[in-house]
Amino acid sequence: MKANSSNFQLNIIFGFVNSVVSVVQTFWFIPYIKEYLGTTAYGYISVVNGLSNTLFVLVSAIGSMGTRFILVTLERKYDEESNEYFNTELFAMIVGSLILGIIALVLSFNLGKVMRVDHHFYKEVQVLLILTINTLILQLLASPFSASFFFKNTIYITYILYTLDYLGRITLTVIMFHHNMKVLWSAVLSTNIVYILSLVFYMAYSRHNIPSLSINLYRAKLDKLIELVKSGVWIAVSSAGNMMVSSLNTYFANILCGVFITGIYASIMQFNIMESMVLSVLVNSLLPKMFKLFSHNDSKNLFFYTIYSMTLVSLILGVVSGGIVIYGNDFMNIWMGNKFTGYAPLIFLTVAYLPFTLPSQVINQSFTVMNKVMMPAMFTILTGLMNILLSIIFVKLFQWNIYGVALASLVVQVFRDCILFPCYFYKISMYFDKKMSIPFFAALASIVITIAICFVIRLLIKPTSILAFISSVMIAGGIALSIILCIFNFISRKLSISL
């Protein structure tokens, strides 16, 4: 138990270190690109990322379920079966990588048909697209080996590798720009290099820590592949719906609202991405215990642990969102300049609902752990289609421009995460009770308390300079986080769930 607790803390610590470095890298990279290449340049990077990630989820879903089956069979000490799942997933990932590579080439040669691109950026966006998709291919190939980090609860090692990636992106971009190679794809080239080295490390780590998992594609089984595909199809559908609800918003903005405002919206969306990263750190750190509870048929504690995890996520994201609501406009002024201010309503629409919706991704993970993925996938693709429809209606019919894109995302995520997911969880869990409402009340309390504290501190310490801004944010955030952690300790004692 001490080792598990220690690893959990390391996962959280290195996860947040990785998040901080990622945020620093992102918030440095955007103005850096803007200064050298213009505001629209980052819009292309954001659009390509959204488009590539959508392709990625269509071929990576089998990997998601493969990891699930590998972990469950390893926990139950079914070594032969886990090896079959491992090699079956590896075979599927190799085939998926080939498909993704072909799609990358086809899209790059027909780029003008899928997005708006200025002529002088055309070749650079082509290279950017190919290199971005190649990083996704490397992630696919690493997927079967990643199960070892969850099984050993050493997820912090992956965060160290991700941190090296972010630092490499900064370093290589500066070097290339300094030598007059000002291109859109400098950062993703660094990611390719780091991911190749990471793939080698993943393979060595898996071989050393779980020797029962060995590469032998002859052990890939058709029945296991069918099982992975049957579940993976729904993961792919769910992931595609998630992309239509969130990541593809910049693509919709590019098509519906134009290039320049997409650059501004993509900058503001970094707040949303930052909160999603916090969510990812928390969920990944909590996930190993979810697998253990399920593998040992401890359904009751799995339900309470899900509530515990959601509550933790709600409270922390409430602090982040509350701070962004009050200080977001000040930050945009310091970070990007005066022309990026005046979008406080857009910032609010982008982040205020996240403490209520993102915690439901914990429920979604529990669906994956329990292999109950069909209905959540149908819900997600439904809301993804709703997001497209509402974006068109709000932008074209009501003329709300970029605010229409943001509002559409808000409406459909609240509908899915606060209504559909909890209702389905109620349907499949014999232990479901009123405690499921705790995370949503926790989110409300957290964001209201944080907004009130930040508002008062901002009046006392006006963020008129970078130093004043940092001081004001740190004092307000420290006070809010201290209060929120006290609330969480009280709730966790009531739930009687420990890490």
Side-chain angles (χ1 to χ4, degrees):
M1 288 297 291
K2 289 184 178 179
N4 288 336
S5 177
S6 176
N7 283 351
F8 175 79
Q9 293 171 5
L10 287 173
N11 293 339
I12 292 290
I13 291 170
F14 281 99
F16 280 118
V17 168
N18 173 70
S19 296
V20 170
V21 174
S22 172
V23 168
V24 170
Q25 178 261 157
T26 300
F27 288 143
W28 165 85
F29 188 66
I30 295 176
Y32 194 78
I33 291 292
K34 169 179 167 285
E35 179 182 354
Y36 283 94
L37 300 176
T39 300
T40 58
Y42 184 74
Y44 293 128
I45 295 173
S46 183
V47 171
V48 167
N49 285 338
L51 184 61
S52 300
N53 287 336
T54 302
L55 295 174
F56 176 67
V57 302
L58 297 177
V59 293
S60 66
I62 292 176
S64 300
M65 291 309 297
T67 300
R68 182 262 178 198
F69 282 108
I70 291 171
L71 288 173
V72 170
T73 50
L74 283 173
E75 287 289 348
R76 292 173 177 173
K77 301 187 185 304
Y78 301 157
D79 290 346
E80 180 61 30
E81 192 173 9
S82 63
N83 214 345
E84 291 176 356
Y85 280 119
F86 170 78
N87 282 284
T88 302
E89 180 188 350
L90 181 59
F91 172 78
M93 294 301 95
I94 293 172
V95 174
S97 297
L98 292 174
I99 295 172
L100 201 56
I102 294 171
I103 293 175
L105 292 175
V106 172
L107 287 178
S108 66
F109 286 114
N110 296 274
L111 190 63
K113 296 179 181 180
V114 294
M115 63 181 290
R116 297 181 184 179
V117 185
D118 292 340
H119 177 72
H120 62 283
F121 278 118
Y122 197 88
K123 290 188 179 300
E124 287 194 37
V125 176
Q126 283 182 307
V127 176
L128 174 69
L129 178 63
I130 291 174
L131 287 176
T132 301
I133 291 181
N134 192 57
T135 66
L136 305 180
I137 290 173
L138 292 169
Q139 290 181 64
L140 283 182
L141 296 176
S143 177
F145 307 97
S146 66
S148 59
F149 297 103
F150 285 94
F151 183 67
K152 291 294 184 179
N153 199 17
T154 54
I155 305 166
Y156 64 89
I157 296 176
T158 65
Y159 289 131
I160 293 173
L161 296 174
Y162 293 149
T163 301
L164 293 176
D165 169 36
Y166 296 133
L167 294 175
R169 291 164 68 92
I170 294 174
T171 303
L172 187 60
T173 298
V174 169
I175 291 173
M176 292 182 66
F177 278 37
H178 181 71
H179 288 83
N180 205 32
M181 295 180 62
K182 302 177 179 65
V183 293
L184 290 174
W185 43 266
S186 58
V188 75
L189 176 61
S190 173
T191 298
N192 271 264
I193 296 171
V194 173
Y195 278 16
I196 290 172
L197 297 175
S198 296
L199 175 58
V200 175
F201 177 79
Y202 272 47
M203 295 171 66
Y205 185 88
S206 178
R207 182 178 180 180
H208 180 265
N209 287 277
I210 312 181
S212 62
L213 298 182
S214 58
I215 298 176
N216 184 352
L217 293 181
Y218 288 106
R219 291 189 176 182
K221 302 295 183 181
L222 180 60
D223 61 326
K224 295 292 189 291
L225 180 61
I226 293 173
E227 190 174 8
L228 294 182
V229 169
K230 286 172 64 177
S231 298
V233 164
W234 295 113
I235 294 292
V237 170
S238 181
S239 298
N242 276 323
M243 291 298 173
M244 287 190 285
V245 171
S246 56
S247 299
L248 278 183
N249 276 1
T250 52
Y251 181 74
F252 300 149
N254 175 272
I255 299 298
L256 297 173
C257 305
V259 173
F260 181 76
I261 193 63
T262 298
I264 294 177
Y265 182 55
S267 301
I268 292 175
M269 278 293 290
Q270 297 310 308
F271 292 128
N272 189 305
I273 293 172
M274 180 175 68
E275 297 207 36
S276 295
M277 290 184 62
V278 174
L279 171 73
S280 177
V281 170
L282 294 171
V283 171
N284 283 339
S285 299
L286 295 161
L287 195 54
K289 182 158 186 175
M290 294 179 72
F291 274 112
K292 287 183 181 295
L293 291 172
F294 174 79
S295 299
H296 296 289
N297 299 314
D298 193 354
S299 300
K300 183 176 182 179
N301 269 333
L302 177 60
F303 170 72
F304 287 114
Y305 189 69
T306 300
I307 297 177
Y308 173 95
S309 303
M310 289 180 65
T311 304
L312 176 62
V313 172
S314 296
L315 290 169
I316 292 178
L317 291 183
V319 174
V320 178
S321 285
I324 293 172
V325 167
I326 299 299
Y327 289 104
N329 204 48
D330 299 317
F331 178 80
M332 293 297 293
N333 182 38
I334 295 172
W335 176 40
M336 298 292 284
N338 287 329
K339 68 178 179 179
F340 281 80
T341 60
Y343 292 96
L346 185 59
I347 293 173
F348 181 86
L349 287 175
T350 302
V351 303
Y353 66 94
L354 296 180
F356 301 91
T357 59
L358 288 182
S360 283
Q361 291 306 310
V362 176
I363 299 180
N364 201 27
Q365 286 295 335
S366 71
F367 295 151
T368 301
V369 169
M370 294 183 287
N371 197 19
K372 299 287 187 180
V373 293
M374 185 180 73
M375 288 304 298
M378 294 178 67
F379 294 151
T380 302
I381 200 67
L382 170 65
T383 52
L385 294 172
M386 286 175 56
N387 187 46
I388 298 174
L389 179 61
L390 288 178
S391 295
I392 295 172
I393 292 173
F394 291 162
V395 174
K396 295 297 186 181
L397 183 61
F398 295 146
Q399 299 293 310
W400 288 345
N401 201 8
I402 196 66
Y403 292 96
V405 175
L407 184 60
S409 182
L410 183 156
V411 170
V412 299
Q413 288 190 63
V414 168
F415 176 59
R416 181 194 64 186
D417 295 335
C418 300
I419 298 176
L420 294 181
F421 277 4
C423 286
Y424 183 64
F425 198 39
Y426 164 75
K427 190 76 173 177
I428 66 173
S429 176
M430 67 182 71
Y431 298 103
F432 190 97
D433 62 21
K434 62 183 179 181
K435 291 185 178 67
M436 180 52 64
S437 64
I438 291 175
F440 300 103
F441 285 111
L444 178 62
S446 181
I447 193 169
V448 169
I449 290 171
T450 302
I451 286 175
I453 292 172
C454 290
F455 180 79
V456 172
I457 298 299
R458 188 181 180 279
L459 289 178
L460 297 175
I461 307 176
K462 296 185 182 298
T464 53
S465 66
I466 294 178
L467 181 60
F469 173 81
I470 294 174
S471 300
S472 187
V473 169
M474 290 185 66
I475 293 172
I479 295 172
L481 189 60
S482 298
I483 295 173
I484 295 309
L485 288 177
C486 290
I487 295 174
F488 177 68
N489 286 333
F490 173 78
I491 294 174
S492 62
R493 286 196 300 271
K494 292 294 183 181
L495 286 173
S496 300
I497 296 287
S498 65
L499 295 174

